[in-house]
Amino acid sequence: MTYLEIDPQPILLQSLETGETPNLEGLSLAREYIREKAQGSLGENEIVRWSHGPGGFYYEFKRFPAAFYARLGPAQEQRLTPDQAQELVWEALVRAEEEWAELTLFYTANLMQTPQDFYIAYTLGDTRVERGEARYALPLFMRLKDTRQLWVLFRSGSGFLHFRLEQGQPLLQTLLA
C-alpha cells in the first residue's frame, strides 16, 4: 500500500535556523483533506492533539498548529506502559546519535522556553544540529524519523500511544511547487 504524507517539519527546522517565517499556505487544502480522513480515534495531551483511523493519521501542536503531520492511509496505535515508553525513548536517543536520525522530544508544556523543556536533533546539509537538553525522562511527545520509518509517541493519561509508520510518499514537494 502507498501512503501519502505531508510533513512540513524540514521547512520548520530550516526556519528555526534562518529566522524566516515559513509559508505553508499551499498545504492547507491537502492538510484539511487528510485531517478529515483521519477522523476516528481522537486524543490530546497538554501540547498536541491527534486523530487516526482507517483513512489517515494526523497530529498538530496546540500552540503552534503549523507544526503538524498528516498522512493518508491506516495507522495502528500501540498502547505502551511508562516502562515500555522509557525503553522506546532510550532507543530513539541512541538511534538519533548513531544514525543521525531526526529526533524531537518535548518534555513539558513549555515547549522551548528552557533547554530542559525539549530536545531536537536534525541534519541540515552536512551539519548536525542539536538544540535543548537530551534527557531520558518520559516526554509528552516524541518523534523519530529516519529513512525507513517515522515513530510518534504521545503521552495519554497515565500511558502512552505509539505509532510506527513506514515512510510514505511525500506530498510536500509537489504541493509547494
Side-chain angles (χ1 to χ4, degrees):
M1 172 176 242
T2 301
Y3 300 99
L4 300 175
E5 67 181 8
I6 302 173
D7 185 6
Q9 184 152 326
I11 295 169
L12 298 173
L13 293 173
Q14 187 170 2
S15 73
L16 188 62
E17 295 299 318
T18 64
E20 295 177 16
T21 304
N23 182 1
L24 302 176
E25 197 169 310
L27 303 175
S28 61
L29 283 176
R31 177 185 182 173
E32 290 306 314
Y33 177 74
I34 294 175
R35 188 187 326 204
E36 184 179 305
K37 289 291 193 182
Q39 294 303 310
S41 295
L42 304 172
E44 67 179 65
N45 63 25
E46 294 89 330
I47 61 172
V48 69
R49 69 180 123 252
W50 62 87
S51 60
H52 67 93
F57 174 74
Y58 179 84
Y59 72 77
E60 71 181 9
F61 283 82
K62 293 177 178 180
R63 291 186 358 211
F64 188 54
F68 73 94
Y69 175 84
R71 174 188 181 96
L72 282 176
Q76 190 66 33
E77 73 181 43
Q78 180 183 8
R79 295 187 181 277
L80 302 179
T81 66
D83 288 342
Q84 292 169 319
Q86 187 67 73
E87 288 179 26
L88 191 72
V89 170
W90 289 338
E91 183 178 346
L93 286 164
V94 169
R95 287 185 59 193
E97 185 174 326
E98 290 179 355
E99 302 173 22
W100 278 23
E102 181 184 287
L103 178 62
T104 304
L105 292 156
F106 287 106
Y107 301 106
T108 72
N110 296 329
L111 294 180
M112 298 174 75
Q113 291 181 12
T114 71
Q116 294 80 30
D117 295 328
F118 73 103
Y119 175 72
I120 300 175
Y122 55 96
T123 305
L124 284 176
D126 293 333
T127 304
R128 185 68 172 169
V129 179
E130 294 184 35
R131 296 181 176 274
E133 186 177 300
R135 301 186 295 144
Y136 288 104
L138 287 170
L140 293 169
F141 172 85
M142 180 189 85
R143 172 193 157 112
L144 175 77
K145 186 170 187 173
D146 63 18
T147 58
R148 300 174 314 271
Q149 292 182 336
L150 171 69
W151 293 358
V152 180
L153 178 73
F154 303 112
R155 186 180 302 170
S156 179
S158 61
F160 291 84
L161 295 180
H162 175 234
F163 295 85
R164 188 178 305 241
L165 307 165
E166 298 300 318
Q167 285 290 64
Q169 178 66 38
L171 283 176
L172 185 60
Q173 293 89 348
T174 306
L175 292 171
L176 292 177

